Tab-separated table of all heavy atoms in Angstrom:
chain	number	residue	atom	x	y	z
A	277	HIS	N	-6.736	-20.128	4.123
A	277	HIS	CA	-5.561	-20.353	4.971
A	277	HIS	C	-4.602	-19.166	4.903
A	277	HIS	O	-4.089	-18.697	5.930
A	277	HIS	CB	-4.858	-21.649	4.546
A	277	HIS	CG	-3.588	-21.893	5.285
A	277	HIS	ND1	-3.564	-22.338	6.583
A	277	HIS	CD2	-2.293	-21.721	4.912
A	277	HIS	CE1	-2.305	-22.434	6.983
A	277	HIS	NE2	-1.520	-22.068	5.986
A	278	ASP	N	-4.351	-18.666	3.708
A	278	ASP	CA	-3.440	-17.534	3.524
A	278	ASP	C	-3.956	-16.298	4.265
A	278	ASP	O	-3.194	-15.625	4.962
A	278	ASP	CB	-3.268	-17.237	2.032
A	278	ASP	CG	-2.292	-16.104	1.781
A	278	ASP	OD1	-1.086	-16.382	1.686
A	278	ASP	OD2	-2.738	-14.945	1.687
A	279	LEU	N	-5.228	-16.010	4.108
A	279	LEU	CA	-5.796	-14.818	4.742
A	279	LEU	C	-5.836	-14.966	6.266
A	279	LEU	O	-5.562	-14.010	6.993
A	279	LEU	CB	-7.182	-14.518	4.178
A	279	LEU	CG	-7.225	-14.170	2.682
A	279	LEU	CD1	-8.657	-13.960	2.227
A	279	LEU	CD2	-6.361	-12.966	2.368
A	280	ASP	N	-6.144	-16.166	6.740
A	280	ASP	CA	-6.126	-16.409	8.182
A	280	ASP	C	-4.719	-16.193	8.745
A	280	ASP	O	-4.554	-15.621	9.825
A	280	ASP	CB	-6.584	-17.839	8.506
A	280	ASP	CG	-8.074	-18.036	8.356
A	280	ASP	OD1	-8.830	-17.039	8.311
A	280	ASP	OD2	-8.502	-19.211	8.266
A	281	ALA	N	-3.709	-16.657	8.020
A	281	ALA	CA	-2.325	-16.505	8.464
A	281	ALA	C	-1.915	-15.039	8.532
A	281	ALA	O	-1.017	-14.672	9.288
A	281	ALA	CB	-1.384	-17.268	7.533
A	282	ARG	N	-2.566	-14.193	7.765
A	282	ARG	CA	-2.276	-12.760	7.782
A	282	ARG	C	-3.059	-12.037	8.873
A	282	ARG	O	-2.999	-10.813	8.980
A	282	ARG	CB	-2.595	-12.142	6.418
A	282	ARG	CG	-1.661	-12.616	5.346
A	282	ARG	CD	-2.097	-12.189	3.962
A	282	ARG	NE	-1.272	-12.820	2.962
A	282	ARG	CZ	-0.056	-12.397	2.609
A	282	ARG	NH1	0.444	-11.332	3.164
A	282	ARG	NH2	0.633	-13.042	1.704
A	283	GLY	N	-3.822	-12.782	9.660
A	283	GLY	CA	-4.563	-12.189	10.763
A	283	GLY	C	-5.821	-11.458	10.344
A	283	GLY	O	-6.334	-10.622	11.081
A	284	ILE	N	-6.330	-11.782	9.182
A	284	ILE	CA	-7.528	-11.115	8.678
A	284	ILE	C	-8.756	-11.817	9.251
A	284	ILE	O	-8.851	-13.040	9.240
A	284	ILE	CB	-7.531	-11.117	7.134
A	284	ILE	CG1	-6.347	-10.270	6.640
A	284	ILE	CG2	-8.843	-10.593	6.589
A	284	ILE	CD1	-6.127	-10.286	5.161
A	285	GLY	N	-9.695	-11.037	9.736
A	285	GLY	CA	-10.893	-11.570	10.379
A	285	GLY	C	-11.772	-12.379	9.440
A	285	GLY	O	-11.782	-12.161	8.226
A	286	ALA	N	-12.520	-13.297	10.013
A	286	ALA	CA	-13.359	-14.220	9.241
A	286	ALA	C	-14.364	-13.486	8.355
A	286	ALA	O	-14.627	-13.926	7.228
A	286	ALA	CB	-14.089	-15.177	10.182
A	287	GLU	N	-14.916	-12.370	8.824
A	287	GLU	CA	-15.905	-11.647	8.020
A	287	GLU	C	-15.274	-11.095	6.742
A	287	GLU	O	-15.887	-11.114	5.675
A	287	GLU	CB	-16.589	-10.535	8.821
A	287	GLU	CG	-15.697	-9.373	9.221
A	287	GLU	CD	-14.808	-9.620	10.448
A	287	GLU	OE1	-14.863	-10.692	11.055
A	287	GLU	OE2	-14.036	-8.698	10.774
A	288	HIS	N	-14.033	-10.638	6.828
A	288	HIS	CA	-13.337	-10.130	5.641
A	288	HIS	C	-12.954	-11.275	4.705
A	288	HIS	O	-13.010	-11.125	3.482
A	288	HIS	CB	-12.092	-9.339	6.035
A	288	HIS	CG	-12.372	-8.129	6.867
A	288	HIS	ND1	-13.140	-7.084	6.424
A	288	HIS	CD2	-11.989	-7.800	8.114
A	288	HIS	CE1	-13.222	-6.163	7.368
A	288	HIS	NE2	-12.532	-6.584	8.410
A	289	VAL	N	-12.569	-12.405	5.290
A	289	VAL	CA	-12.210	-13.577	4.486
A	289	VAL	C	-13.416	-14.043	3.689
A	289	VAL	O	-13.332	-14.280	2.475
A	289	VAL	CB	-11.665	-14.722	5.380
A	289	VAL	CG1	-11.474	-15.996	4.579
A	289	VAL	CG2	-10.363	-14.306	6.055
A	290	GLU	N	-14.551	-14.167	4.343
A	290	GLU	CA	-15.759	-14.635	3.663
A	290	GLU	C	-16.214	-13.648	2.590
A	290	GLU	O	-16.644	-14.055	1.507
A	290	GLU	CB	-16.876	-14.895	4.674
A	290	GLU	CG	-16.583	-16.046	5.626
A	290	GLU	CD	-16.155	-17.329	4.934
A	290	GLU	OE1	-16.761	-17.714	3.901
A	290	GLU	OE2	-15.198	-17.961	5.414
A	291	ALA	N	-16.095	-12.364	2.872
A	291	ALA	CA	-16.472	-11.351	1.870
A	291	ALA	C	-15.553	-11.442	0.652
A	291	ALA	O	-16.011	-11.335	-0.493
A	291	ALA	CB	-16.411	-9.953	2.474
A	292	ALA	N	-14.273	-11.649	0.883
A	292	ALA	CA	-13.313	-11.755	-0.222
A	292	ALA	C	-13.594	-12.999	-1.061
A	292	ALA	O	-13.573	-12.945	-2.299
A	292	ALA	CB	-11.889	-11.790	0.320
A	293	LEU	N	-13.883	-14.118	-0.411
A	293	LEU	CA	-14.201	-15.344	-1.146
A	293	LEU	C	-15.510	-15.189	-1.905
A	293	LEU	O	-15.648	-15.677	-3.033
A	293	LEU	CB	-14.272	-16.542	-0.196
A	293	LEU	CG	-12.936	-17.030	0.355
A	293	LEU	CD1	-13.155	-18.073	1.443
A	293	LEU	CD2	-12.058	-17.584	-0.751
A	294	GLY	N	-16.466	-14.491	-1.313
A	294	GLY	CA	-17.749	-14.273	-1.966
A	294	GLY	C	-17.645	-13.395	-3.202
A	294	GLY	O	-18.483	-13.476	-4.105
A	295	ALA	N	-16.621	-12.546	-3.252
A	295	ALA	CA	-16.439	-11.662	-4.402
A	295	ALA	C	-15.794	-12.374	-5.595
A	295	ALA	O	-15.820	-11.861	-6.708
A	295	ALA	CB	-15.597	-10.453	-3.999
A	296	LEU	N	-15.223	-13.550	-5.354
A	296	LEU	CA	-14.572	-14.310	-6.431
A	296	LEU	C	-15.604	-15.123	-7.200
A	296	LEU	O	-16.711	-15.363	-6.719
A	296	LEU	CB	-13.541	-15.276	-5.837
A	296	LEU	CG	-12.387	-14.687	-5.059
A	296	LEU	CD1	-11.567	-15.806	-4.427
A	296	LEU	CD2	-11.512	-13.816	-5.953
A	297	ASP	N	-15.190	-15.603	-8.385
A	297	ASP	CA	-16.012	-16.598	-9.076
A	297	ASP	C	-16.124	-17.807	-8.157
A	297	ASP	O	-15.183	-18.109	-7.407
A	297	ASP	CB	-15.337	-17.036	-10.388
A	297	ASP	CG	-15.401	-15.970	-11.465
A	297	ASP	OD1	-16.283	-15.095	-11.384
A	297	ASP	OD2	-14.557	-16.021	-12.379
A	298	PRO	N	-17.222	-18.531	-8.215
A	298	PRO	CA	-17.352	-19.719	-7.369
A	298	PRO	C	-16.207	-20.703	-7.639
A	298	PRO	O	-15.689	-20.793	-8.757
A	298	PRO	CB	-18.699	-20.316	-7.783
A	298	PRO	CG	-19.449	-19.169	-8.389
A	298	PRO	CD	-18.415	-18.287	-9.020
Side-chain angles (χ1 to χ4, degrees):
H277 175 76
D278 182 87
L279 297 177
D280 286 343
R282 292 171 188 279
I284 295 174
E287 67 280 359
H288 298 299
V289 172
E290 294 309 317
L293 288 171
L296 299 174
D297 287 338

